[in-house]
Amino acid sequence: MTHSHHRLLSRSWLKRTVTPQPLQHSIVVVASYMTVGTLALIAISSLFCLFVGLSLLDDMIRLTAPHRIWLHMKQHWLQLDWTALANKLSEQLTSLAEWERQKRAAWYPHDHPSYHDGDRFHDLLFAATHLLNEYVSKQTTRSPTG
């Protein structure tokens, strides 16, 4: 068996064992969806744990802190400018959405499937921004001083 014949056999074996391109693409898509699902599950679980922890902290403070201190803290919390906070968060989400769209345009051509998958994320960010802007506009029309 000659050296070139051996090289030809090893290449044909390699071609048979390499997975076809469509299968590789579907594996990547499934893996990316599983990753996104896992991250969403982690985020939801973390928020749940955060709210349970805050609830426990609230109960502990109510039981241990004197009533007057608790009322002072609660009054201070209610005096926060939630409208300005929502407006700032809306601005940050808008900046994030535009930055993400620019990066995606630099990474993928317009006809690539990942480019269009990113449009869904972009639309989600703009929907959240729209809701925050509606909240801010309703709060500012309700109280002309705020």
Side-chain angles (χ1 to χ4, degrees):
M1 190 182 309
T2 65
H3 184 62
S4 62
H5 183 65
H6 179 67
R7 187 184 302 165
L8 182 64
L9 284 177
S10 66
R11 284 184 185 167
S12 65
W13 174 82
L14 184 62
K15 285 182 181 179
R16 282 193 313 250
T17 59
V18 173
T19 49
Q21 186 65 22
L23 181 60
Q24 285 179 342
H25 178 69
S26 62
I27 290 172
V28 168
V29 169
V30 168
S32 64
Y33 279 120
M34 289 179 66
T35 302
V36 169
T38 302
L39 290 175
L41 185 64
I42 289 170
I44 291 170
S45 300
S46 299
L47 283 175
F48 175 76
C49 292
L50 174 73
F51 286 124
V52 167
L54 287 176
S55 176
L56 290 174
L57 180 67
D58 177 53
D59 291 343
M60 185 182 73
I61 289 174
R62 285 178 190 252
L63 290 175
T64 58
H67 185 67
R68 199 164 79 179
I69 294 174
W70 175 246
L71 283 179
H72 178 69
M73 285 175 44
K74 185 176 179 181
Q75 188 178 31
H76 180 70
W77 182 259
L78 291 175
Q79 289 176 351
L80 287 175
D81 190 3
W82 293 105
T83 306
L85 184 66
N87 191 27
K88 186 67 175 173
L89 183 60
S90 173
E91 291 172 5
Q92 293 295 325
L93 282 175
T94 302
S95 298
L96 174 67
E98 289 304 317
W99 175 84
E100 184 273 334
R101 179 169 272 187
Q102 289 172 358
K103 289 297 182 186
R104 190 167 21 99
W107 290 338
Y108 301 110
H110 184 69
D111 58 343
H112 195 274
S114 296
Y115 185 88
H116 298 292
D117 287 342
D119 279 340
R120 288 183 232 147
F121 177 70
H122 192 262
D123 293 341
L124 175 69
L125 287 178
F126 268 118
T129 302
H130 179 71
L131 289 174
L132 287 171
N133 287 338
E134 281 185 2
Y135 171 78
V136 169
S137 67
K138 284 181 183 178
Q139 292 300 320
T140 54
T141 57
R142 189 183 321 174
S143 62
T145 59

